[in-house]
Amino acid sequence: MPADSGPDAPDTTRPDDDLRADGENAGQEKAGEENAGRENAGEENLVEAFWAVARRLRHGTRVALEPWSISPSQSRALGVLIRHGEMRLSSLADHLRIAPRSATEVVDGLQELDLVERRPDPADRRAVLVVPTPHGRSTADAIHRARAAEGERLFATLTPADRADLSRVLRKLHD
Amino acid sequence: MPADSGPDAPDTTRPDDDLRADGENAGQEKAGEENAGRENAGEENLVEAFWAVARRLRHGTRVALEPWSISPSQSRALGVLIRHGEMRLSSLADHLRIAPRSATEVVDGLQELDLVERRPDPADRRAVLVVPTPHGRSTADAIHRARAAEGERLFATLTPADRADLSRVLRKLHD
DNA sequence: CCCTCATGTTGAGGTAACCTCAGCTTTCGG
DNA sequence: CCGAAAGCTGAGGTTACCTCAACATGAGGG
């Protein structure tokens, strides 16, 4: 199962993506199926155009991240840990929205890959802090770069004016 | 497990979504974590802004689709079947990129929900054609409308000029 | 006509990524 | 001092796939 980590990592579960229906996934079904038999219709078309671009970007990113062989949940966890520097296991579970029991095993896996280590929490000796290792950081960084490069490949096809427009509009939508 | 079907259905696997790392998923981790500790950096930021919008849209859509209780794989299958009208089981498996064995059971589930039916294939009596039922079609249509409405809610915050810009740029990216 | 392959089903067993529950030891804090 | 927290272990569960094998029926080509 190809892996990913760090912020904005794509879903790497299924070939051209994950568990969902058309559109928002990364081209789950065969290419060219989107909007088959459906006419453009104002707002709806804007939504579908957006997801079509999302699929392209996700697919490219997924391919680009295949060399890193950590599981999706491990890479999500690593991404959270990279951003926070260190984190208690219970907090990690909260951030990942999984049960603490599950987080124990995700961290076990990351530890086996030498991507994180468990350290005692000086503030509470019952607790452990999960900390990315240097290897974990460099792995996450490499993955992040690969994804950024992939995005650049797509957006580089735009003129500077178009990029500025897109950036402006995306910021409005995001805020 | 909330469900979805039809084109552009979002991933509905996990709360704020599916199996992957940050960014391209629908806000897996807690809100506000994106770009934590990361400065804006040209192209990279465009990619991240794009995924941030994608997460918002996905989250909203996922919530909107919760009333339909079919599984993600069922809704993906239904989406493919709606677009194609009818399809052999082996073709459906190809489109969904799952094994025929697995497609058998996805269709079993759809059949139990009265969303599709199996018909003999007149061209090959070994084969069966999977066909959406009227209920399946109306369900898929309702799901599609709900998602379109959700997209409209997000994009309606833009001025007409911004929408035109976004639409133009997205079309360039998509082609 | 015969043989090879295709079709979809059933059954069995497997993996991954989660889940809940219970029990345990150690630690914390009121 | 005591109830709760922290994380671990173990057990058992679900979902969404997977492979493999076997089977009956049907198709098609030599």
Side-chain angles (χ1 to χ4, degrees), chain B residues 135-159:
Chain B
H135 178 50
R137 286 180 214 282
S138 62
T139 297
D141 199 47
I143 288 173
H144 180 78
R145 284 191 227 277
R147 299 151 55 129
E150 196 53 40
E152 179 149 2
R153 279 185 59 230
L154 176 60
F155 293 122
T157 60
L158 296 173
T159 66

Side-chain angles (χ1 to χ4, degrees), chain A residues 29-51:
Chain A
E29 290 78 36
K30 289 179 170 177
E33 286 173 345
E34 300 88 32
N35 294 333
R38 190 182 302 282
E39 302 303 312
N40 289 0
E43 201 67 39
E44 186 170 322
N45 197 51
L46 190 56
V47 174
E48 295 189 7
F50 184 88
W51 286 126

Side-chain angles (χ1 to χ4, degrees), chain A residues 8-11 14 18 20 22 24 28 33 43-44 48 58 76 83 95 97 144 163 172, chain B residues 4 8-11 14 18 20 22 24 33 43-44 58 76 83 95 97 144 162-163:
Chain A
D8 302 339
D11 139 46
R14 287 195 55 78
D18 54 6
R20 48 250 155 93
D22 310 336
E24 279 137 81
Q28 203 70 28
E33 286 173 345
E43 201 67 39
E44 186 170 322
E48 295 189 7
R58 176 181 269 123
R76 283 166 52 218
R83 287 198 297 278
H95 281 75
R97 290 191 169 88
H144 181 79
R163 290 151 81 118
K172 284 184 178 181
Chain B
D4 61 80
D8 303 335
D11 140 42
R14 286 199 53 79
D18 53 6
R20 48 246 156 98
D22 310 336
E24 278 137 82
E33 285 173 346
E43 200 69 37
E44 185 168 323
R58 177 182 270 125
R76 280 167 52 220
R83 287 198 297 280
H95 281 76
R97 290 190 170 87
H144 180 78
D162 282 342
R163 291 151 82 120

Side-chain angles (χ1 to χ4, degrees), chain B residues 81-96:
Chain B
L81 291 167
I82 292 291
R83 287 198 297 280
H84 288 80
E86 66 183 13
M87 180 171 272
R88 280 194 183 177
L89 191 127
S90 51
S91 294
L92 179 63
D94 287 342
H95 281 76
L96 297 175

Side-chain angles (χ1 to χ4, degrees), chain A residues 42-87:
Chain A
E43 201 67 39
E44 186 170 322
N45 197 51
L46 190 56
V47 174
E48 295 189 7
F50 184 88
W51 286 126
V53 172
R55 281 194 295 276
R56 286 193 65 172
L57 182 54
R58 176 181 269 123
H59 176 76
T61 305
R62 188 188 64 79
V63 170
L65 298 187
E66 272 174 353
W68 289 275
S69 51
I70 65 178
S71 72
S73 52
Q74 289 172 343
S75 61
R76 283 166 52 218
L78 188 59
V80 171
L81 291 166
I82 291 291
R83 287 198 297 278
H84 289 80
E86 67 183 12
M87 180 170 271

